[in-house]
């Protein structure tokens, strides 16, 4: 199963050094039955994009929690055996991002990472503003929600795994 793990450049440096994402359990995002049901008209590519977008929003939360991390969202895509992935059954009451939420039972070795997805440096001002606005957005401030949504206007760039270390220089 393809899963999308939220990260930051700071966390990516640790993952690269450790050669794995861990410790387990790990929160990730994937195409789950609840996401398929919610987005019934979407093909697999659209569903995977929705799961990756949910992971990008989770990355923004990681940035808000770590003011020292460079202000670029990071999502790592990995291929995980199905039996190591669990998710809530049903979708009653789930928020949109939660429909894609899964849990990984074991750490993810570097060799299972398929690609990285990272904000372009041009997105830094909008991502910075979004990370700063996140607490107010969570409290219901519409202007702050608009600012947070502004980060989603930036597409994440695709990186092959061998390119990821170059982002850490």
């Amino acid at each position: 199963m393809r899963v999308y793990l939220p990260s930051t450049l700071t966390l990516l440096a640790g993952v690269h050094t450790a050669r794995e994402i861990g410790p387990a359990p790990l929160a990730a995002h994937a195409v789950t039955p609840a996401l398929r049901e919610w987005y019934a008209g979407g093909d697999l590519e659209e569903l995977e994009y929705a799961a990756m977008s949910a992971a990008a929003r989770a990355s923004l939360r990681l940035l808000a929690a770590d003011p020292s991390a460079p202000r670029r969202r990071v999502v790592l895509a990995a291929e995980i055996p199905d039996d190591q992935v669990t998710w809530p059954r049903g979708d009653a009451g789930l928020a949109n991002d939660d429909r894609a939420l899964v849990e990984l039972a074991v750490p993810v070795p570097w060799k299972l990472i398929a690609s990285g997805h990272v904000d372009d440096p041009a997105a830094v001002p909008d991502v910075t503003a979004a990370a700063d606005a996140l607490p107010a957005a969570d409290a219901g401030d519409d202007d702050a929600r608009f600012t947070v949504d502004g980060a989603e206007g930036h597409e994440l760039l695709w990186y092959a795994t061998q390119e990821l270390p170059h982002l850490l220089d």
Side-chain angles (χ1 to χ4, degrees), residues 3-6 26-30 51 55 97 100-104:
V3 299
Y4 300 93
L5 296 118
L26 294 165
H29 295 82
D97 287 355
L101 189 63
V102 297
E103 184 175 276
L104 307 182

PDB file of all heavy atoms in Angstrom, residues 3-6 26-30 51 55 97 100-104:
ATOM      1  N   VAL A   3       1.676   4.761   1.161  1.00  0.00           N
ATOM      2  CA  VAL A   3       1.325   5.631   2.279  1.00  0.00           C
ATOM      3  C   VAL A   3       2.130   6.921   2.165  1.00  0.00           C
ATOM      4  O   VAL A   3       3.201   6.955   1.561  1.00  0.00           O
ATOM      5  CB  VAL A   3       1.558   4.971   3.654  1.00  0.00           C
ATOM      6  CG1 VAL A   3       0.715   3.716   3.811  1.00  0.00           C
ATOM      7  CG2 VAL A   3       3.026   4.683   3.898  1.00  0.00           C
ATOM      8  N   TYR A   4       1.580   7.977   2.753  1.00  0.00           N
ATOM      9  CA  TYR A   4       2.200   9.304   2.730  1.00  0.00           C
ATOM     10  C   TYR A   4       2.446   9.729   4.170  1.00  0.00           C
ATOM     11  O   TYR A   4       1.505   9.842   4.965  1.00  0.00           O
ATOM     12  CB  TYR A   4       1.285  10.297   2.009  1.00  0.00           C
ATOM     13  CG  TYR A   4       1.038   9.878   0.584  1.00  0.00           C
ATOM     14  CD1 TYR A   4      -0.068   9.100   0.250  1.00  0.00           C
ATOM     15  CD2 TYR A   4       1.926  10.228  -0.425  1.00  0.00           C
ATOM     16  CE1 TYR A   4      -0.285   8.684  -1.052  1.00  0.00           C
ATOM     17  CE2 TYR A   4       1.721   9.814  -1.728  1.00  0.00           C
ATOM     18  CZ  TYR A   4       0.614   9.044  -2.041  1.00  0.00           C
ATOM     19  OH  TYR A   4       0.404   8.629  -3.329  1.00  0.00           O
ATOM     20  N   LEU A   5       3.730   9.929   4.492  1.00  0.00           N
ATOM     21  CA  LEU A   5       4.116  10.267   5.854  1.00  0.00           C
ATOM     22  C   LEU A   5       4.490  11.741   5.940  1.00  0.00           C
ATOM     23  O   LEU A   5       5.379  12.198   5.207  1.00  0.00           O
ATOM     24  CB  LEU A   5       5.312   9.414   6.284  1.00  0.00           C
ATOM     25  CG  LEU A   5       5.004   7.925   6.354  1.00  0.00           C
ATOM     26  CD1 LEU A   5       5.849   7.146   5.391  1.00  0.00           C
ATOM     27  CD2 LEU A   5       5.191   7.428   7.758  1.00  0.00           C
ATOM     28  N   PRO A   6       3.824  12.496   6.825  1.00  0.00           N
ATOM     29  CA  PRO A   6       4.180  13.899   6.987  1.00  0.00           C
ATOM     30  C   PRO A   6       5.551  14.023   7.645  1.00  0.00           C
ATOM     31  O   PRO A   6       5.923  13.204   8.490  1.00  0.00           O
ATOM     32  CB  PRO A   6       3.075  14.441   7.889  1.00  0.00           C
ATOM     33  CG  PRO A   6       2.552  13.259   8.619  1.00  0.00           C
ATOM     34  CD  PRO A   6       2.755  12.079   7.711  1.00  0.00           C
ATOM     35  N   LEU A  26       3.378   4.781  13.657  1.00  0.00           N
ATOM     36  CA  LEU A  26       3.517   6.001  12.873  1.00  0.00           C
ATOM     37  C   LEU A  26       2.178   6.389  12.256  1.00  0.00           C
ATOM     38  O   LEU A  26       1.472   5.534  11.718  1.00  0.00           O
ATOM     39  CB  LEU A  26       4.521   5.787  11.735  1.00  0.00           C
ATOM     40  CG  LEU A  26       5.966   5.541  12.138  1.00  0.00           C
ATOM     41  CD1 LEU A  26       6.744   4.978  10.951  1.00  0.00           C
ATOM     42  CD2 LEU A  26       6.596   6.829  12.622  1.00  0.00           C
ATOM     43  N   ALA A  27       1.861   7.668  12.314  1.00  0.00           N
ATOM     44  CA  ALA A  27       0.671   8.174  11.627  1.00  0.00           C
ATOM     45  C   ALA A  27       1.056   8.481  10.189  1.00  0.00           C
ATOM     46  O   ALA A  27       2.112   9.071   9.922  1.00  0.00           O
ATOM     47  CB  ALA A  27       0.150   9.422  12.315  1.00  0.00           C
ATOM     48  N   ALA A  28       0.221   8.066   9.270  1.00  0.00           N
ATOM     49  CA  ALA A  28       0.445   8.318   7.847  1.00  0.00           C
ATOM     50  C   ALA A  28      -0.924   8.514   7.203  1.00  0.00           C
ATOM     51  O   ALA A  28      -1.959   8.471   7.879  1.00  0.00           O
ATOM     52  CB  ALA A  28       1.190   7.148   7.208  1.00  0.00           C
ATOM     53  N   HIS A  29      -0.920   8.728   5.893  1.00  0.00           N
ATOM     54  CA  HIS A  29      -2.163   8.898   5.140  1.00  0.00           C
ATOM     55  C   HIS A  29      -2.105   7.999   3.915  1.00  0.00           C
ATOM     56  O   HIS A  29      -1.034   7.787   3.344  1.00  0.00           O
ATOM     57  CB  HIS A  29      -2.357  10.362   4.748  1.00  0.00           C
ATOM     58  CG  HIS A  29      -2.536  11.243   5.945  1.00  0.00           C
ATOM     59  ND1 HIS A  29      -1.480  11.712   6.683  1.00  0.00           N
ATOM     60  CD2 HIS A  29      -3.650  11.691   6.548  1.00  0.00           C
ATOM     61  CE1 HIS A  29      -1.947  12.429   7.687  1.00  0.00           C
ATOM     62  NE2 HIS A  29      -3.253  12.436   7.624  1.00  0.00           N
ATOM     63  N   ALA A  30      -3.268   7.476   3.530  1.00  0.00           N
ATOM     64  CA  ALA A  30      -3.328   6.556   2.397  1.00  0.00           C
ATOM     65  C   ALA A  30      -4.753   6.544   1.848  1.00  0.00           C
ATOM     66  O   ALA A  30      -5.666   7.125   2.426  1.00  0.00           O
ATOM     67  CB  ALA A  30      -2.929   5.147   2.845  1.00  0.00           C
ATOM     68  N   ALA A  51      -4.909  11.911  -0.383  1.00  0.00           N
ATOM     69  CA  ALA A  51      -4.174  11.370   0.761  1.00  0.00           C
ATOM     70  C   ALA A  51      -2.866  12.141   0.971  1.00  0.00           C
ATOM     71  O   ALA A  51      -2.499  12.463   2.103  1.00  0.00           O
ATOM     72  CB  ALA A  51      -3.898   9.881   0.556  1.00  0.00           C
ATOM     73  N   ALA A  55      -1.545  14.510   4.169  1.00  0.00           N
ATOM     74  CA  ALA A  55      -0.219  14.414   4.795  1.00  0.00           C
ATOM     75  C   ALA A  55       0.492  15.765   4.776  1.00  0.00           C
ATOM     76  O   ALA A  55       1.202  16.117   5.723  1.00  0.00           O
ATOM     77  CB  ALA A  55       0.621  13.354   4.088  1.00  0.00           C
ATOM     78  N   ASP A  97      -9.469  14.951   6.558  1.00  0.00           N
ATOM     79  CA  ASP A  97      -8.111  14.428   6.680  1.00  0.00           C
ATOM     80  C   ASP A  97      -8.092  13.075   7.374  1.00  0.00           C
ATOM     81  O   ASP A  97      -7.271  12.221   7.062  1.00  0.00           O
ATOM     82  CB  ASP A  97      -7.230  15.407   7.458  1.00  0.00           C
ATOM     83  CG  ASP A  97      -6.881  16.642   6.652  1.00  0.00           C
ATOM     84  OD1 ASP A  97      -7.249  16.694   5.456  1.00  0.00           O
ATOM     85  OD2 ASP A  97      -6.245  17.545   7.201  1.00  0.00           O
ATOM     86  N   ALA A 100      -8.301   9.631   5.502  1.00  0.00           N
ATOM     87  CA  ALA A 100      -7.098   9.061   4.898  1.00  0.00           C
ATOM     88  C   ALA A 100      -6.091   8.603   5.947  1.00  0.00           C
ATOM     89  O   ALA A 100      -5.055   8.032   5.601  1.00  0.00           O
ATOM     90  CB  ALA A 100      -6.441  10.084   3.970  1.00  0.00           C
ATOM     91  N   LEU A 101      -6.382   8.841   7.216  1.00  0.00           N
ATOM     92  CA  LEU A 101      -5.419   8.549   8.280  1.00  0.00           C
ATOM     93  C   LEU A 101      -5.260   7.048   8.493  1.00  0.00           C
ATOM     94  O   LEU A 101      -6.244   6.315   8.594  1.00  0.00           O
ATOM     95  CB  LEU A 101      -5.875   9.216   9.581  1.00  0.00           C
ATOM     96  CG  LEU A 101      -4.883   9.182  10.734  1.00  0.00           C
ATOM     97  CD1 LEU A 101      -3.613   9.956  10.386  1.00  0.00           C
ATOM     98  CD2 LEU A 101      -5.536   9.782  11.976  1.00  0.00           C
ATOM     99  N   VAL A 102      -4.002   6.615   8.541  1.00  0.00           N
ATOM    100  CA  VAL A 102      -3.675   5.217   8.815  1.00  0.00           C
ATOM    101  C   VAL A 102      -2.574   5.190   9.868  1.00  0.00           C
ATOM    102  O   VAL A 102      -1.937   6.201  10.151  1.00  0.00           O
ATOM    103  CB  VAL A 102      -3.219   4.449   7.552  1.00  0.00           C
ATOM    104  CG1 VAL A 102      -4.332   4.397   6.515  1.00  0.00           C
ATOM    105  CG2 VAL A 102      -1.951   5.044   6.957  1.00  0.00           C
ATOM    106  N   GLU A 103      -2.367   4.018  10.426  1.00  0.00           N
ATOM    107  CA  GLU A 103      -1.284   3.826  11.386  1.00  0.00           C
ATOM    108  C   GLU A 103      -0.397   2.691  10.900  1.00  0.00           C
ATOM    109  O   GLU A 103      -0.899   1.649  10.468  1.00  0.00           O
ATOM    110  CB  GLU A 103      -1.858   3.503  12.768  1.00  0.00           C
ATOM    111  CG  GLU A 103      -0.795   3.396  13.839  1.00  0.00           C
ATOM    112  CD  GLU A 103      -1.398   3.189  15.216  1.00  0.00           C
ATOM    113  OE1 GLU A 103      -1.777   4.200  15.836  1.00  0.00           O
ATOM    114  OE2 GLU A 103      -1.495   2.009  15.640  1.00  0.00           O
ATOM    115  N   LEU A 104       0.903   2.909  10.989  1.00  0.00           N
ATOM    116  CA  LEU A 104       1.875   1.888  10.600  1.00  0.00           C
ATOM    117  C   LEU A 104       2.403   1.221  11.860  1.00  0.00           C
ATOM    118  O   LEU A 104       2.805   1.897  12.806  1.00  0.00           O
ATOM    119  CB  LEU A 104       3.024   2.507   9.811  1.00  0.00           C
ATOM    120  CG  LEU A 104       2.612   3.355   8.607  1.00  0.00           C
ATOM    121  CD1 LEU A 104       3.836   3.867   7.874  1.00  0.00           C
ATOM    122  CD2 LEU A 104       1.714   2.580   7.674  1.00  0.00           C
TER     123      LEU A 104
END
